[in-house]
Amino acid sequence: MLEITLNLREDRKDPYYMQLYRHIRQEIRSGRIPAGTRLPAIRRLAEHLQISRNTVEAAYLQLVSEGYVESRPRSGLYAVELEEIASLADMQGKQPDRHPAATNSLAANAADVPAIRYDFRNGTIDLRPFPFGVWNRLSQMTMQEHTRSLSVYGDPQGEPGLREHLAVYLRQSRGVQCSPEQIVLGAGTQQLLLLLCQLVGANRKSVAVEDPGYNGAKAVFSQLSLDMTPIPLEADGMNLERLKQSGASLVYVTPSHQFPFGMVMPVHKRVKLLQWAAEHGGLIIEDDYDSEFRYHGRPIPALQGMDTTGSVIYMGTFSKSLLSAIRISYMVLPESVLAVFRKNKADLEPTASLIHTDTLERFMAEGWWEKHLRRMKNVYQKKHAQLLSHITRYLGSQVRVIGEHTGLHIVLEVDGRRPEAELVRTAAEQGVRVYATSPYWLNPDMPQSPPRLLLGFGGLAEDELEEGVRLLGKAWG
Ligand SMILES: Cc1ncc(COP(=O)(O)O)c(C=O)c1O
């Protein structure tokens, strides 16, 4: 039977459960814990390492929620096949519900871990309103009408028809200034970031990132061995003085809905960020991942639309607005990067499936995209409002919701007495999963006081939202 032994260090800032979780994650990633290996029971490992069961349980919960470990009925927890683990992603907070059963039934099966009934996982979306009938019809048309062209890979930039629709949409709804020729479609933001870094990489070996920030992007930068400089956040987004001091010439930002904390970068700061780029020959990667969904106030146009010097690479995704599993994302390249792309185009293959991109083009051409987006805005607006009102009712003054009224997740700041891990654990004991934000920090010395927790609400039904928050009130009351 597997034993897990590591040096748990008291002198480190990260708590024991994080140290244990990271250790096991690394062992699975490296293959030292092979797929199919059963993890030790919580009680046994706690005794072996001389730590509390809660600590082991918190580490296991994290591994399960990220898909490294799955639960098998009446048996226990097992390491997952390596191929099933997205090799680049540090999946915390990222969406793919590749092992939904694992997260939901962990406890039922693995005796000493509680069952999760309400999972506030970030990135999940509401599939109920999706027009499956329409999609199936359009997808059949793709298969019938394109029999011949389906024998090729397609345009390395992605199909021109979809890029045309997308350019119009981005201009109209996000204020992005672009032609279809500037758009590159790809199978997810990470794939596009990989490609982008290769295109601009020759003379940019370091990248500045928001701290805390999106793990999916940081995983790519780290895989490419880029030097990452963490730039702290202020109430209105990235600290630009610190960006200047960093000496970086490439920066990754989420200005319209900072991930994970949710603030919006105001216009005057956007102007300064663009000035920084112009003065330092800098390039800005703008990740506009979920700002279709803005519930209050005027829409905030993309930073790219204000750029006059070709310094912004705009990125977006259909994962939140359409279907997570479709794996279609896009980037809009400024002229300088586009020129490099064109030079290399002959050697590149498209990563977004021609079948899905063709179907999506039909979906847009027939007006379904617009209808669907309108509908989803209403659905999420309602859920967002209900979630806030349940929070007021059941959690009251012990929490503060931070971030703006945008997107599919919120962050709860919980009064400072209890550590983050304890809040996650006590919530899990009530059958509710909420997510720590400490894994999003690059700088481990950053204080987590008061603790902040991330709650994705897109995938939960209205009654589940209420029950989930009510149980949080019970857990933390
Ligand atoms: C900050 C951020 N960017 C991008 C994405 C979407 O990535 P993808 O296009 O690979 O689905 C997410 C998903 O959760 C995200 O949180």
Side-chain angles (χ1 to χ4, degrees):
M1 183 169 282
L2 173 75
E3 286 287 6
I4 293 175
T5 305
L6 74 158
N7 231 341
L8 288 166
R9 293 183 40 190
E10 230 171 277
D11 57 335
R12 280 191 17 193
K13 285 267 159 48
D14 49 344
Y16 281 171
Y17 92 94
M18 280 306 286
Q19 295 182 36
L20 178 60
Y21 144 75
R22 287 202 180 108
H23 174 79
I24 301 176
R25 185 181 66 173
Q26 189 49 34
E27 294 291 288
I28 294 174
R29 276 179 169 173
S30 66
R32 286 190 292 270
I33 295 183
T37 305
R38 183 168 178 233
L39 298 193
I42 291 176
R43 188 176 299 119
R44 202 164 62 79
L45 185 57
E47 277 165 14
H48 175 60
L49 295 175
Q50 292 292 294
I51 52 179
S52 78
R53 281 192 229 164
N54 290 341
T55 303
V56 179
E57 183 187 317
Y60 278 7
L61 279 171
Q62 192 69 28
L63 288 162
V64 169
S65 72
E66 294 182 12
Y68 287 96
V69 161
E70 67 183 2
S71 159
R72 294 195 192 154
R74 291 178 297 284
S75 177
L77 299 176
Y78 289 80
V80 160
E81 279 291 341
L82 272 183
E83 303 88 77
E84 291 183 37
I85 299 168
S87 56
L88 288 174
D90 182 348
M91 301 309 298
Q92 161 71 20
K94 218 180 160 299
Q95 59 174 296
D97 212 353
R98 286 166 294 126
H99 306 290
T103 47
N104 290 330
S105 62
L106 170 62
N109 304 322
D112 42 3
V113 185
I116 295 299
R117 281 173 296 150
Y118 307 101
D119 188 348
F120 284 90
R121 176 190 286 268
N122 174 48
T124 54
I125 60 169
D126 195 340
L127 283 180
R128 281 158 281 221
F130 187 77
F132 283 101
V134 172
W135 188 267
N136 290 342
R137 173 175 64 79
L138 298 175
S139 149
Q140 268 181 6
M141 285 167 74
T142 295
M143 297 309 281
Q144 281 157 13
E145 289 174 21
H146 276 251
T147 324
R148 249 194 225 172
S149 58
L150 291 183
S151 68
V152 295
Y153 287 6
D155 188 321
Q157 246 173 292
E159 290 313 287
L162 176 55
R163 287 191 277 121
E164 266 168 41
H165 285 291
L166 193 53
V168 174
Y169 163 71
L170 291 177
R171 211 170 26 248
Q172 290 178 351
S173 79
R174 303 293 307 123
V176 173
Q177 300 300 324
C178 74
S179 67
E181 289 72 37
Q182 286 173 268
I183 297 177
V184 177
L185 302 172
T189 299
Q190 286 191 317
Q191 293 301 320
L192 289 170
L193 272 176
L194 262 175
L195 173 61
L196 176 67
C197 290
Q198 282 157 9
L199 295 176
V200 303
N203 46 4
R204 291 173 209 266
K205 295 287 177 215
S206 67
V207 58
V209 293
E210 295 163 323
D211 200 30
Y214 178 44
N215 278 359
K218 286 185 284 186
V220 171
F221 301 143
S222 135
Q223 287 279 326
L224 293 173
S225 303
L226 293 186
D227 244 353
M228 269 184 275
T229 311
I231 310 290
L233 298 175
E234 301 171 312
D236 58 359
M238 181 177 266
N239 181 325
L240 297 185
E241 275 314 307
R242 296 288 286 275
L243 174 63
K244 276 183 204 158
Q245 290 159 13
S246 75
S249 63
L250 181 65
V251 60
Y252 166 86
V253 271
T254 47
S256 297
H257 188 218
Q258 201 279 331
F259 188 88
F261 282 177
M263 65 276 277
V264 175
M265 187 182 281
V267 171
H268 67 88
K269 197 158 189 170
R270 290 176 184 230
V271 172
K272 283 194 192 147
L273 179 57
L274 290 167
Q275 270 167 2
W276 164 83
E279 285 162 15
H280 294 78
L283 273 181
I284 302 165
I285 304 171
E286 175 184 21
D287 185 355
D288 196 28
Y289 61 105
D290 72 355
S291 39
E292 282 96 354
F293 302 118
R294 177 150 178 87
Y295 313 120
H296 295 285
R298 284 194 219 119
I300 304 150
L303 179 69
Q304 193 270 7
M306 300 167 66
D307 176 28
T308 52
T309 56
S311 309
V312 177
I313 295 113
Y314 175 86
M315 298 198 132
T317 178
F318 285 100
S319 295
K320 312 267 182 185
S321 49
L322 188 71
L323 280 181
S324 327
I326 194 167
R327 309 312 298 132
I328 303 178
S329 306
Y330 42 88
M331 60 181 173
V332 177
L333 300 181
E335 208 38 63
S336 60
V337 186
L338 192 58
V340 188
F341 179 87
R342 287 200 176 118
K343 244 196 214 160
N344 293 282
K345 195 169 170 174
D347 297 327
L348 299 170
E349 304 292 2
T351 58
S353 153
L354 200 154
I355 296 173
H356 292 329
T357 47
D358 188 81
T359 307
L360 181 52
E361 181 186 335
R362 294 168 195 274
F363 193 75
M364 285 183 148
E366 287 194 7
W368 292 103
W369 164 247
E370 236 179 274
K371 258 186 231 157
H372 182 62
L373 210 51
R374 252 201 321 272
R375 190 170 186 190
M376 294 319 292
K377 274 183 195 167
N378 288 335
V379 167
Y380 293 135
Q381 177 149 36
K382 203 164 154 205
K383 286 191 187 188
H384 182 263
Q386 284 174 342
L387 177 62
L388 295 189
S389 111
H390 300 323
I391 287 171
T392 308
R393 173 164 177 207
Y394 295 110
L395 295 167
S397 58
Q398 64 171 319
V399 301
R400 194 165 74 87
V401 179
I402 60 166
E404 303 284 328
H405 302 283
T406 303
L408 303 185
H409 75 269
I410 59 156
V411 171
L412 277 189
E413 194 171 83
V414 187
D415 77 32
R417 290 189 306 273
R418 285 158 298 180
E420 190 186 53
E422 186 184 323
L423 293 166
V424 172
R425 180 178 55 74
T426 48
E429 281 165 6
Q430 293 296 329
V432 183
R433 176 154 303 134
V434 292
Y435 291 83
T437 53
S438 52
Y440 295 109
W441 293 88
L442 203 56
N443 182 350
D445 296 333
M446 289 312 289
Q448 266 288 305
S449 183
R452 290 174 172 182
L453 299 167
L454 190 146
L455 278 71
F457 59 87
L460 289 172
E462 289 172 15
D463 55 334
E464 292 175 323
L465 287 176
E466 171 154 20
E467 191 51 15
V469 177
R470 189 185 71 74
L471 289 170
L472 284 181
K474 202 169 155 199
W476 300 340

